Amino acid sequence: MIEAGRRWARGDLDGQPLNEALEDAARFGIDLPEDALAQPSFELWEDHARPLDAFLAVSGQWRVAPMGLAGVRYLGLDYGAVGHGFDLAGIALTPSEWADFRTIEAGAAEELNRE
């Protein structure tokens, strides 16, 4: 589940190469094979689909701390906003699904804060 959060943060949750990187390489005359940026396969177990869908529904609700010229540090999701988002989307997670949701959040925060 941590890898799902990391992939969300990188923008490659679907495992496809980032077209932007291929476009940049072409712009500089670098010929990259299509599979040069492919990510290793990522499989999501059916039991983890609901926590991931829940995360995607509220993935814009991050709490951040300013770090001056260094930008921001992602602290975690704002659970007050997450609760309202869940209510509006009709999402109710079991305690086990909530734990998986938190694991996805941890992976995303780790990747977002990578230097």
Side-chain angles (χ1 to χ4, degrees):
M1 296 307 302
I2 285 179
E3 185 62 20
R6 289 178 182 149
R7 285 177 178 256
W8 169 84
R10 288 192 306 255
D12 67 345
L13 189 57
D14 61 1
Q16 298 299 313
L18 300 176
N19 289 334
E20 182 180 352
L22 293 172
E23 291 168 6
D24 288 347
R27 187 174 297 121
F28 289 102
I30 300 169
D31 186 26
L32 286 179
E34 187 77 25
D35 63 348
L37 301 173
Q39 298 290 323
S41 65
F42 171 71
E43 293 184 29
L44 183 69
W45 294 354
E46 188 175 332
D47 290 347
H48 298 146
R50 283 183 31 85
L52 180 59
D53 287 342
F55 176 81
L56 295 175
V58 296
S59 61
Q61 303 303 320
W62 286 93
R63 284 198 175 195
V64 297
M67 301 293 288
L69 296 177
V72 297
R73 177 146 185 91
Y74 290 82
L75 303 175
L77 292 171
D78 177 341
Y79 293 143
V82 166
H84 288 295
F86 283 179
D87 290 344
L88 291 169
I91 296 171
L93 298 179
T94 66
S96 175
E97 291 171 333
W98 175 251
D100 290 340
F101 175 92
R102 299 280 317 274
T103 303
I104 296 168
E105 175 194 12
E110 177 185 302
E111 189 67 28
L112 289 168
N113 290 318
R114 187 177 304 273
E115 293 182 18

